[in-house]
Amino acid sequence: MADHAAPAHHRTVASVDGALARAVELATRGPAWGPNPRVGCVILAPVQDTADDGAVGPRVVLAEGWHRGAGTPHAEAAALAAAREAGVDVRGATAVVTLEPCNHTGRTGPCAVALEQAGVAEVVYAVADPNPVAAGGADHLAAHGVRTELRPTPAATELVRTWATSAAASRPYVIVKTAATLDGRVAAADGTSRWITGPEARAHAHEVRAAVDAVAVGTGTVAADDPALTARRPDGTLAEHQPLRVVVGRRDVPDGARLRTEAGGELLQLATHDVAEVLAVLAAREVRTLLVEGGPRLATAFLEAGVVDELHAYVAPVLLGAGPGVVGGLGITTIADALRWRTHDVRRLGDDVLLTARSHPSRPRPTSQEA
């Protein structure tokens, strides 16, 4: 049996909410990268007994499934396959899914149709599908007599947040990473920058690389730092997933550069300074999450374009007093026009601190055509 689909008819859950929590847990087994969201599905047996007060007792889990990445069965299809393999009848059952079942034929068939044809009587999902290409699953189910319920949960929403933002905006979710001193310098006056942050912060940065689709730097950073842009484990070996390595700018990447000589993700050079063009090319390649690592000119360009969704600011307890700053001029002349973010998390990494901030939800998110 495929390890992404499992019969679970020996298991019970206290409620639909319990099944939804389990579906989120299953979904996290799928990859954080790739064009598709992480989704989990739990199929519950029909209600058999109720207490005197009308409360529904524990529900038997008939099957479970999760999505393992592009080209593999979606979570609902995986759970249905597990049920079939185990000889379990799902007619009249409740399917609990972290994301609205798709209504689209792509690499795989539409999950809404699969659930309806399997005889499932009810579908509970936590997040409505924001992708206009695949949305409409709940409507299809309702039109074919299947009860549907949207039951939002913070955990399921967070699970697909970057993917949902990308799908809604028709561009990659953009994370800008900075590593600076307390006085906002990314390098010393002579241009040296290795290392401002300590090993714990650098290890975390590699974890982030291993979870995104692409990482981008400018040609200036290639010339100054000769980065490899690989994702590595603490022991120095390459991580399972390597992001697409994107170089933005018109200067060629030298033949002897580590980007050309070291193993890692595919190298893509975009000979442009147009952020909208960069995002359009990456969106066409189904890049959902882009990590912008350097340098200050590239970070400034993305900030000026208004397309940055998240900031990862690594701050080291170091003072330089001079040297290039984190970003260049943004055309801001008064505090009222400052770009403001919401602090999501503050984390200590050795002697350094990582501040993660997210774009304010009230701020418009330009598409790649509008940027």
Side-chain angles (χ1 to χ4, degrees), residues 21 30 82 84 112 148 163 182-183 223 242 270 272:
R84 286 193 299 271
T148 62
W163 172 86
L182 283 176
D183 51 350
Q242 293 297 312
L270 300 177
T272 181

Side-chain angles (χ1 to χ4, degrees), residues 47-331:
V47 175
Q48 299 295 331
D49 301 304
T50 58
D52 293 338
D53 60 0
V56 177
R59 304 280 294 274
V60 174
V61 176
L62 299 179
E64 300 175 335
W66 64 93
H67 183 50
R68 298 188 68 199
T72 67
H74 288 188
E76 301 93 322
L80 291 172
R84 286 193 299 271
E85 189 168 338
V88 174
D89 187 357
V90 300
R91 287 176 296 178
T94 298
V96 181
V97 197
T98 55
L99 180 68
E100 178 184 2
C102 67
N103 192 35
H104 167 66
T105 300
R107 295 181 178 90
T108 59
C111 292
V113 173
L115 291 169
E116 170 244 319
Q117 293 182 346
V120 168
E122 180 183 31
V123 174
V124 178
Y125 60 99
V127 179
D129 195 329
N131 187 350
V133 175
D139 290 341
H140 172 90
L141 290 164
H144 289 80
V146 180
R147 297 188 304 276
T148 62
E149 179 188 348
L150 173 59
R151 189 177 294 202
T153 69
T157 300
E158 177 65 20
L159 184 71
V160 296
R161 179 181 53 81
T162 57
W163 172 86
T165 301
S166 173
S170 300
R171 61 161 176 81
Y173 183 93
V174 176
I175 302 169
V176 166
K177 169 202 164 185
T178 63
T181 63
L182 283 176
D183 51 350
R185 309 297 177 179
V186 297
D190 65 356
T192 56
S193 60
R194 293 186 176 180
W195 295 102
I196 287 176
T197 55
E200 294 88 349
R202 297 198 297 274
H204 181 270
H206 278 275
E207 292 176 10
V208 176
R209 284 183 185 175
V212 300
D213 295 305
V215 55
V217 296
T219 53
T221 295
V222 174
D225 295 341
D226 191 22
L229 300 184
T230 52
R232 295 188 178 274
R233 302 183 182 94
D235 63 3
T237 59
L238 291 174
E240 173 190 359
H241 166 68
Q242 293 297 312
L244 175 70
R245 298 182 286 186
V246 182
V247 176
V248 180
R250 297 191 176 91
R251 283 184 286 179
D252 289 335
V253 176
D255 290 339
R258 296 173 67 201
L259 285 168
R260 294 196 184 278
T261 61
E262 292 194 17
E266 177 189 353
L267 173 61
L268 172 66
Q269 181 161 11
L270 300 177
T272 181
H273 294 139
D274 185 344
V275 169
E277 183 179 349
V278 171
L279 293 177
V281 170
L282 295 180
R285 294 177 64 109
E286 295 188 302
V287 169
R288 290 296 190 184
T289 310
L290 170 66
L291 175 64
V292 178
E293 284 210 1
R297 289 182 61 186
L298 191 63
T300 301
F302 275 84
L303 288 165
E304 286 183 320
V307 294
V308 178
D309 301 291
E310 188 165 310
L311 296 173
H312 288 187
Y314 297 86
V315 181
V318 174
L319 295 171
L320 285 173
V326 173
V327 295
L330 293 170

